[in-house]
């Protein structure tokens, strides 16, 4: 008994180290010992000891964790033993219902795992693990604590049955889950609903923690039942797109009873926020029930009950002030339109009142933009889908969307304009900074805005004119208040985004000539704003306005520029009167002027430059547009003047980070596409285009031949590599590609080789160069099919392989040097453990971590030794000296493992060769001592050179096994 108490004390100390310890070494040691405990034969007895005599909750948690791992093994315990474990845990939690919640949760998980993995197991003609519901009902007859444990068991079991274990066959999981669904899940759901009814029938006390805990566990149980993967979709839980719950047909009776929905609406109104949001989560799933579960009359009745519940919530909205309730209710509203047609919604008795309530709720939500911003997505989804359904409604009942959709659009627009001064003055997070969310919401809004488009456009024109006039007044004011100017620019940025959104909405909604004319009115104002903003350059510029303008230009391009455009479109009527823009050719001129202006004057604003170049790239895709673009003066200017003098972002000054140079690839891809339109076989034209790059390469060559400034040369080469990659990407014909090959080979490709040799340690330099070579080797559109008499293919292969080999050799040597440093450190400290020295040096904390990690994971060094031995014996090792340095330390640290590797290789060979190989290995360590002094290392390196030669001859000789079949990696 004393021994067991001592063992218990040791285990509890380890538990404290594991769950509460701050010392990393102690925690890692505790993990190691506890992993050994799971693998030991005494695991069950030790777990029982911890559960029955442990003095802390962590001891009990450790026992539960060990049992969970034990029952989850690929090779299961005997059936009888698993039955004993399950019954023991059931009795244990029944006898100690006051355990810490996390301990009960962990023990309940063990029961769930045992039940799932043994679902089909038979003992004495009985499916012995399926009587779990009967066991749970015994808990329901006990105290409230027992009641809660019983519900937790069912909830955990339902969740476990739904959980895919990817380490096991998916077919087996699906078979178990399907059987559980068909035999038990309906009964569990009905039991949970009846228990909730009983709970609701009693007076609810908000201060009663037991009552709240029970309500929470019951609601979680219902939610787990409704979230069950009924048909094996294995949907990602983080995704909210799969909005249909595939309820089994035999559950119809539960869903047809009005009392079922009423129960959860009543629970929402009765419970505190933390619990009422669980009731709403259940209602989200009820609203998502597959349509085919009901007949048409049944579906209409079910929808009517849902709408009645929505009306009750909105008429008493106090609970929605809680963010959790608010979010779940927004999800609930979105699911209504996802699973029911607008024609069905308008037929509901209370539809007019409810749609008005939902509209008012949405408007209020949009006005309070800072409250739960992630929930707005669901409200906009509801309105987007409802408006998109209007053309398909066949019923005579009014949908009333023409009344409320413009109000929703107006609320979104005005709320965003009103948030600007608050954000700027109070230093809040600007919604415009979250581009992904803004674009998602604008995409939804564009559909809503097209309903009663005249009202939307009238509002936007009024707001745009008002804000643009205020902005001009501020610019011409003698005081020029910077804060007011920034506020006005923020509002203009939002308005430009709205115009771009509504113009882009033409593609998603039935449009008319009147709508196109309205788009022309709106677009005129943005083009005028572009002129106003560009007139302030280079003294003043606003990033947010510029990004919004680029968004608008891209939306206008997609909608009104190109082959899809009807040239008689009314969009140009108003633009012709105001701006003189009569067709898409004039628009393209405006586009290119704006692009050149941005590239010339906004070179230090990476987001604007990046978006501008992406816009240029999008314009350059499509031959019909390219033919129009090359006639524009701004394009001709770019093709002839692509230097840092005219476009500062092409410079290499320290003002730009290395990552900013990435956008140059996009620039040169677009530029080369424009060049290709009329290039043909004109080599002189190509040489002229490449002249700025030629000058840069010649500068780098001169820098290399003198005592050079590394940083300048490096930045120049990174830029050149990115430029050339863009050019190579766009050259898709054999003729044009050959021009580039003749330009770069041989003079400039050798510069790239030199850069790889010099800066192999710096990915910022090597990555662009290697990506350039990868692009250069792409046989896109058969461009590498050189003539039969041309040596270019061989030359290209030679240069690429030379670069790869150079980089590989240098990096390998560098890795070996790093490994040697680590191994030497380990050898000094591990090999000398226990030896007394005159001076004892303190090891740093990082050093302690490394030593501890290597002691716990010796296989890492062993694997490295295997790799290096494979390299020496079987590969064309060009850096023997570098490989030999860490290899000696690895051998001295792992002499036993080295002997095993040696024996493995020798025994794999024929008898008549074994003596020769054994002699090679003996010679390898001949005269080598147990230290890492330079003299000893040099001796080992000399031995290894002879060893490699002798091993190669022995393995090549007649009768030796195929060396390729040897596996040194153990």
């Amino acid at each position: 008994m004393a021994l067991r108490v001592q063992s218990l004390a040791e285990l509890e100390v380890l538990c404290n180290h594991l769950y509460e310890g701050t010392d990393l070494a102690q925690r890692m040691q505790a993990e190691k010992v506890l992993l050994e405990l799971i693998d030991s034969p005494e695991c069950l007895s030790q777990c029982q000891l911890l559960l029955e005599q442990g003095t802390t909750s962590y001891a009990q948690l450790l026992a539960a964790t060990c049992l969970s791992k034990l029952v989850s093994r690929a090779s299961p315990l005997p059936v009888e033993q698993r039955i004993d474990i399950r019954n023991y845990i059931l009795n244990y939690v029944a006898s100690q219902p006051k355990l810490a919640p996390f301990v009960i949760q962990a023990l309940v998980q063990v029961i769930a795992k045992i039940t799932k993995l043994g679902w089909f197991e038979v003992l004495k003609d009985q499916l012995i693990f399926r009587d779990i519901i009967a066991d749970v009902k015994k808990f329901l007859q006990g105290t409230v604590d027992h009641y809660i444990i019983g519900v937790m068991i069912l909830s955990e079991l339902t969740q476990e049955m739904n959980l895919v274990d990817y380490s096991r066959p998916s077919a087996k999981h699906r078979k178990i889950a399907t059987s559980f669904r068909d035999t038990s899940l309906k009964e569990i759901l009905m039991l949970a609903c009846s228990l909730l009814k009983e709970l609701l029938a009693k007076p609810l006390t908000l201060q009663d923690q037991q009552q709240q805990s029970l309500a929470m566990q019951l609601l979680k149980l219902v939610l787990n039942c409704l979230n069950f993967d009924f048909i094996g979709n294995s949907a990602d839980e983080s995704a909210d797109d799969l909005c249909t719950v595939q309820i089994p047909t035999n559950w119809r009776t539960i869903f047809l009873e009005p009392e079922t929905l009423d129960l959860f609406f009543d629970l929402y109104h009765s419970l505190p926020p933390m619990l009422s949001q669980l009731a709403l989560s259940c209602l989200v799933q009820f609203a998502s029930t597959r349509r085919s579960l009901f007949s048409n009359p049944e579906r209409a009745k079910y929808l009517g009950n849902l709408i009645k519940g929505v009306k009750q919530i909105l008429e008493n909205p106090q609970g929605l002030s809680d963010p959790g309730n608010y979010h779940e209710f927004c999800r609930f509203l979105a699911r209504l339109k996802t699973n029911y047609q607008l024609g069905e919604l308008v037929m509901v008795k209370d539809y007019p009142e409810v749609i008005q309530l939902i509209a008012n709720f949405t408007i209020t939500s949009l006005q309070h933009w800072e409250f739960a911003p992630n929930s707005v997505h669901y409200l906009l989804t509801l309105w987007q889908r409802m408006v998109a359904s209007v053309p398909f409604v066949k019923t005579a009942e009014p949908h009333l969307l023409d009344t409320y959709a413009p109000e929703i659009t107006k609320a979104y627009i005005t709320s965003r304009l009103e948030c600007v001064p608050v954000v700027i003055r109070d230093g809040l997070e600007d919604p415009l900074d979250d581009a992904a969310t803004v674009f998602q919401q604008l995409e939804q809004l564009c559909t809503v805005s097209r309903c009663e488009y005249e009202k939307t456009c009238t509002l936007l024109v009024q707001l745009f004119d008002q804000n643009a006039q205020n902005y001009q007044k501020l610019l011409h004011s003698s005081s020029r208040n910077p804060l007011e100017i920034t506020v006005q620019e923020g509002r203009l940025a939002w308005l430009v985004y709205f115009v771009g959104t509504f113009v882009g909405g033409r593609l998603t909604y039935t449009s008319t000539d009147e709508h196109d004319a309205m788009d022309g009115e709106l677009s005129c104002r943005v083009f005028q704003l572009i002129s106003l903003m560009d007139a302030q350059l280079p003294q003043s510029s606003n990033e947010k306005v510029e990004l919004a303008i680029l968004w608008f230009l891209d939306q206008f391009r997609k909608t009104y520029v190109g082959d899809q455009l009807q040239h008689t479109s009314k969009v140009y009527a108003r633009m012709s009167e105001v701006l003189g823009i009569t067709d898409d050719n004039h628009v393209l001129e405006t586009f290119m002027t704006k692009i050149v202006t941005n590239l010339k004057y906004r070179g230090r604003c990476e987001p604007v430059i990046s978006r501008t170049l992406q816009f240029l790239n999008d314009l350059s895709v499509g031959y019909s547009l390219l033919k129009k673009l090359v006639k524009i003066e701004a394009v001709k200017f770019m093709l002839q003047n692509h230097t840092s003098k005219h476009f500062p972002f092409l410079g290499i000054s320290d003002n730009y980070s290395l990552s900013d140079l990435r956008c140059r690839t996009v620039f040169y891809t677009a530029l080369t596409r424009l060049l290709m339109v009329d290039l043909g076989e004109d080599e002189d034209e190509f040489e002229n285009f490449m002249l700025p790059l030629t000058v840069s390469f010649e500068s780098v060559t001169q820098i290399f031949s003198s005592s050079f400034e590394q940083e300048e040369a490096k930045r120049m080469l990174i830029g050149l590599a990115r430029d050339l990659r863009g050019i190579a990407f766009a050259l898709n014909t054999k003729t044009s590609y050959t021009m580039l090959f003749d330009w770069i080979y041989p003079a400039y490709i050798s510069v790239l080789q030199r850069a790889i040799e010099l800066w192999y340690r710096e990915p910022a330099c090597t990555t662009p160069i290697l990506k350039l070579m990868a692009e250069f080797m792409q046989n896109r559109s058969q461009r590498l099919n050189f003539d039969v008499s041309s040596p270019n293919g061989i030359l290209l292969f030679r240069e690429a392989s030379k670069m790869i080999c150079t980089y590989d050799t240098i990096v390998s040597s560098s890795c070996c040097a790093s490994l040697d440093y680590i191994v030497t450190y380990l050898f000094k400290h591990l090999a000398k453990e226990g030896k007394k020295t005159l001076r004892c040096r303190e090891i740093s904390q990082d050093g302690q971590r490394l030593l501890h990690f290597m002691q716990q994971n010796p296989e890492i060094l062993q694997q490295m030794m295997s790799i290096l031995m494979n390299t020496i014996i079987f590969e064309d090792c060009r850096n023997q000296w570098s490989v030999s340095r860490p290899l000696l330390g690895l051998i001295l640290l792992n002499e036993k493992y080295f002997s095993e590797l040696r024996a493995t290789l020798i025994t794999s060979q024929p008898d008549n060769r074994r003596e020769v190989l054994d002699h090679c290995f003996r010679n390898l360590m001949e005269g080598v001592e147990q230290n890492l002094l330079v003299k000893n290392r040099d001796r080992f390196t000399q031995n290894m050179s002879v060893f490699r030669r002798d091993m190669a001859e022995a393995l090549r000789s007649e009768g030796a096994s195929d060396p390729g079949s040897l596996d040194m990696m153990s």
Side-chain angles (χ1 to χ4, degrees), residues 519-697:
D519 285 350
E521 283 283 353
L522 293 171
S523 300
C524 276
R525 285 156 173 78
V526 181
F527 283 116
Q528 288 173 320
L529 179 64
I530 291 173
S531 301
L532 177 62
M533 299 300 295
D534 288 349
Q536 301 176 58
L537 291 170
Q539 288 80 17
S540 175
S541 177
N542 184 283
E543 179 183 319
K544 287 185 170 64
V545 177
E546 291 303 325
L547 292 174
I549 287 171
L550 288 165
W551 160 263
F552 160 77
L553 294 178
D554 196 45
Q555 295 302 307
F556 193 92
R557 172 190 68 83
K558 292 175 183 175
T559 309
Y560 289 113
V561 176
D563 297 334
Q564 74 274 17
L565 174 71
Q566 297 292 325
H567 288 282
T568 57
S569 172
K570 297 291 183 182
V571 75
Y572 289 111
R574 181 63 176 157
M575 291 172 65
S576 176
E577 293 174 20
V578 179
L579 305 171
I581 296 176
T582 57
D583 56 22
D584 61 344
N585 287 324
H586 283 121
V587 170
L588 287 174
E589 288 181 16
T590 307
F591 285 176
M592 293 310 304
T593 303
K594 178 60 179 169
I595 288 170
V596 170
T597 302
N598 281 2
L599 297 181
K600 285 181 73 171
Y601 294 109
R602 296 186 172 89
R604 294 194 177 185
C605 184
E606 196 275 335
V608 173
I609 289 292
S610 180
R611 191 79 64 83
T612 301
L613 290 175
Q614 190 56 54
F615 180 53
L616 173 62
N617 188 59
D618 293 340
L619 281 172
S620 70
V621 177
Y623 188 71
S624 59
L625 274 187
L626 283 170
K627 290 289 285 183
K628 295 177 181 179
L629 287 169
V630 292
K631 298 174 184 176
I632 297 172
E633 288 302 318
V635 172
K636 294 177 182 177
F637 176 83
M638 289 171 67
L639 287 170
Q640 295 165 7
N641 299 281
H642 48 99
T643 63
S644 58
K645 176 183 176 183
H646 297 283
F647 302 116
F649 78 97
L650 294 174
I652 59 166
S653 71
D654 293 339
N655 294 329
Y656 302 100
S657 69
L658 292 178
S659 61
D660 290 347
L661 302 178
R662 291 176 185 167
C663 60
R664 294 170 60 149
T665 303
V666 180
F667 176 66
Y668 272 97
T669 297
L671 216 55
T672 308
R673 286 185 186 133
L674 292 164
L675 173 74
M676 290 276 290
V677 175
D678 297 323
L679 179 65
E681 299 181 11
D682 191 340
E683 294 183 7
D684 291 338
E685 180 69 20
F686 184 78
E687 290 286 341
N688 286 334
F689 174 73
M690 297 297 289
L691 191 57
L693 281 81
T694 304
V695 171
S696 296
F697 258 116

Side-chain angles (χ1 to χ4, degrees), residues 877-889:
C877 181
R878 300 187 176 188
N879 49 347
Q880 292 180 42
W881 187 91
S882 299
V883 172
S884 72
R885 305 320 257 193
L887 183 57
L888 174 59

Side-chain angles (χ1 to χ4, degrees), residues 38-49:
I38 295 169
D39 294 329
S40 71
E42 295 81 23
C43 181
L44 284 175
S45 60
Q46 295 282 1
C47 289
Q48 187 176 355
L49 178 70

Side-chain angles (χ1 to χ4, degrees), residues 22 42 122 126 141 269 280 287 300 341 362 420 471 535 554 635 730 877:
T22 55
E42 295 81 23
V122 177
Q126 285 188 333
Q141 296 165 5
H269 290 293
L280 279 175
Q341 298 168 2
T362 306
V420 174
Y471 183 55
D554 196 45
V635 172
C877 181

